[in-house]
Amino acid sequence: MVLPRLQIILVIGLCVAVAVVDAFAPPIAATRHQTTTAHNMMPADVLQNTIMNLDHLNNSILTMDQAAAETLAGPFFGLSLFPYLAFLYFLDLPQNETPKGVTVGFATCLLFVFLTIPAAVGAKVWYGVSLADSDWLHGSAESLLTVTNLVTVIAFRQALSFKELEADGVGASMPESMVSYRPMINLVVALTALAGVSAFVPGFMGAEVHTPYLNGFMDIPFQLSAKHPEPENALTVACWIIHISSLVEFLVAMGFCWRWADVSNNPKWRGLTWGLLPLHSSGITAFTYHFFFNSISA
């Protein structure tokens, strides 16, 4: 079963995340010693104290600068790794009938995360900016997330097509990606190599901080954009396409996950679909952040 154990993991992860926020948000830490202990409070006092803490947390988020945000990102990244590894373990259990290629797709997210780290370090060391402000590094790193979602969609699509044809009584050969990791691993390696080229070529050619991703491929001509100039850290068209495709692919993968609940007669997959919704929301948050030129205040 996917859902019951996954729920426990998510709840534990949420509790740990709340503890981290409590430890790193200065306004809450500063007020902790000013409040009375919980066992001496009346219910109304507990509610009032909770509201005050949430208000302090909201204010700290709204006034957070980039350095503070990056400081928080490290602990959250480390904590998120363990629940995701547990998710991959339970996902691949035989009773869940997960196509092997789908497991590869979700596991490729770890590749995206780990390869994004050197890109972020490079942006900070070489240029003194965050990864989002260096278009060629940003686009190359983000393309790995597109690879992750694309592989998941392809594997799900192959498995769904076979199951639906089988249900209709139409003879069809089972795709290898349903029972073997190899086809999707090969696809991941090939697409990752292409993404690597988009990073290594500009790097060897002496790319600067705002060198456009894919050398400005498909960018709006300067004559048309000069009337409405954007900041230097604005995303290029190719980089926007990478972001939008990632969001669309993830939505498609969520839809396929929902349909897999029907063809596999395992309704727990619908619960996993709902569990993927916060991940999609995080993508929309990043999209909004880039739309406002990576401004924390936005």
Side-chain angles (χ1 to χ4, degrees), residues 10 15 23 48 79 111 135 147 160 176 180 191 202 223 229 232 253:
L10 291 175
C15 292
Q48 183 178 6
L79 289 171
L111 179 69
D135 197 73
V147 170
L160 281 168
E176 188 179 356
S180 172
L191 294 177
Q223 293 84 348
E232 286 185 317

Side-chain angles (χ1 to χ4, degrees), residues 113-175:
V113 171
F114 286 119
L115 292 183
T116 297
I117 294 174
V121 171
K124 179 62 69 175
V125 172
W126 297 334
Y127 307 126
V129 299
S130 67
L131 178 60
D133 290 326
S134 182
D135 197 73
W136 70 278
L137 280 171
H138 183 202
S140 300
E142 187 67 25
S143 65
L144 295 173
L145 183 58
T146 301
V147 170
T148 296
N149 297 338
L150 180 62
V151 169
T152 305
V153 166
I154 292 175
F156 251 139
R157 180 57 187 164
Q158 291 178 349
L160 281 168
S161 296
F162 170 74
K163 285 284 191 179
E164 290 168 350
L165 288 174
E166 188 180 48
D168 293 337
V170 178
S173 58
M174 179 181 293

Side-chain angles (χ1 to χ4, degrees), residues 37-59:
T37 55
H39 67 274
N40 290 328
M41 293 181 184
M42 298 297 290
D45 295 330
V46 174
L47 178 60
Q48 183 178 6
N49 186 64
T50 301
I51 294 173
M52 289 176 60
N53 281 342
L54 289 175
D55 185 55
H56 284 307
L57 178 59
N58 181 59
N59 290 335

Side-chain angles (χ1 to χ4, degrees), residues 15-33:
C15 292
V16 174
V18 170
V20 171
V21 171
D22 185 61
F24 281 86
I28 296 179
T31 57
R32 179 178 295 170
H33 298 294

Side-chain angles (χ1 to χ4, degrees), residues 60-120:
S60 67
I61 292 174
L62 292 177
T63 59
M64 184 181 298
D65 58 16
Q66 185 168 342
E70 291 176 355
T71 300
L72 278 174
F76 275 115
F77 164 72
L79 289 171
S80 67
L81 178 62
F82 298 104
Y84 198 78
L85 289 174
F87 159 70
L88 292 176
Y89 169 77
F90 290 122
L91 182 72
D92 205 35
L93 290 177
Q95 57 264 40
N96 292 323
E97 298 183 61
T98 307
K100 299 301 184 184
V102 172
T103 302
V104 172
F106 280 113
T108 306
C109 185
L110 296 176
L111 179 69
F112 156 69
V113 171
F114 286 119
L115 292 183
T116 297
I117 294 174

Side-chain angles (χ1 to χ4, degrees), residues 19 39 41 48 73 153 156 172 189 219 243 248 251 263:
H39 67 274
M41 293 181 184
Q48 183 178 6
V153 166
F156 251 139
V189 171
D219 253 9
H243 280 77
V248 173
L251 276 177
V263 300

